[in-house]
Amino acid sequence: MTEKKFNLFNRLAALLALAVSAVTYLLTIEPSASFWDCGEFIASSYKLEVGHPPGNPMFQLIARFFTLFGDNMHAAVLVNAMSALCSALTIFFLYLTIVFFVKRLLPKAADGTYSSGQALAIIGSALTGALVYCFSDTFWFSAVEGEVYAMSSLFTALVFWAMTRWYEVADQRGANRWIVLIAFLMGISIGVHLLNLLAI
């Protein structure tokens, strides 16, 4: 299979993972606030007030943007939808990261192509891994409510994917822009949750 054909199937599978997870989460979002920190996060985001320490200003700013598309009666659903979309994007970047690692296990042929079996193994295992995580109980639970964990997972997945992109182009001119992007994403992710510091 040529590189061009492989890339086409790879992109289609990545979009499939994104679509399946987005539809799943958007159809199952909480209709209102869950009975723990979610109500505080939704209210503080809608009013741009200070949440409980250590705070989450980046989360609140992005959530406030989502609440602009409705009134105060729909703020909870809009913030929950934001979490669903963040979680769907996490699955998308997880798929791309799994592809990166599986490609390392299945080297190309001498002519620089993958066999059909190799391509199926790469794309199939990445799609399977991403969708298994999509439907896992813990991740799904956080994906459908207005909590910081969905957005924090997105930043972590995005940073990890950016690390794989930098690895692929590290010897090329201008590759350091990926390191700058990684540092920037880590910096703003601290305004959501401290989880992303684990990527360091």
Side-chain angles (χ1 to χ4, degrees):
M1 180 180 292
T2 64
E3 186 74 21
K4 186 175 181 181
K5 194 172 181 182
F6 174 80
N7 288 335
L8 173 65
F9 285 122
N10 187 33
R11 288 186 184 115
L12 289 174
L15 291 175
L16 177 65
L18 177 64
V20 167
S21 54
V23 168
T24 300
Y25 298 146
L26 287 171
L27 288 176
T28 59
I29 59 172
E30 292 282 344
S32 184
S34 302
F35 292 115
W36 61 312
D37 292 348
C38 303
E40 177 196 356
F41 285 126
I42 292 166
S44 62
S45 296
Y46 182 74
K47 296 275 194 174
L48 282 182
E49 296 173 343
V50 178
H52 66 266
N56 48 6
M58 194 68 205
F59 174 86
Q60 290 180 323
L61 288 172
I62 296 171
R64 176 60 182 140
F65 173 75
F66 274 80
T67 62
L68 294 176
F69 298 102
D71 57 10
N72 60 345
M73 299 302 292
H74 298 97
V77 171
L78 293 168
V79 174
N80 293 343
M82 176 200 70
S83 289
L85 293 174
C86 285
S87 296
L89 286 168
T90 301
I91 299 302
F92 174 78
F93 286 111
L94 175 62
Y95 170 85
L96 296 176
T97 303
I98 294 172
V99 166
F100 170 82
F101 284 111
V102 178
K103 281 169 72 174
R104 300 296 166 284
L105 297 174
L106 300 173
K108 293 180 182 178
D111 60 354
T113 61
Y114 290 109
S115 69
S116 296
Q118 285 178 315
L120 181 63
I122 293 168
I123 294 171
S125 61
L127 194 57
T128 302
L131 291 179
V132 164
Y133 189 60
C134 167
F135 292 106
S136 66
D137 181 63
T138 304
F139 189 74
W140 195 346
F141 184 82
S142 295
V144 295
E145 61 185 7
E147 253 286 358
V148 295
Y149 302 119
M151 190 179 292
S152 179
S153 295
L154 171 59
F155 275 110
T156 304
L158 186 55
V159 164
F160 204 88
W161 171 79
M163 289 176 180
T164 66
R165 289 293 301 138
W166 172 76
Y167 180 86
E168 289 180 333
V169 298
D171 297 329
Q172 298 176 15
R173 181 181 170 89
N176 288 343
R177 66 184 176 194
W178 287 101
I179 296 177
V180 173
L181 176 65
I182 290 164
F184 174 73
L185 291 171
M186 282 191 168
I188 63 174
S189 74
I190 292 171
V192 177
H193 193 268
L194 298 177
L195 171 70
N196 204 8
L197 293 177
L198 292 174
I200 296 174

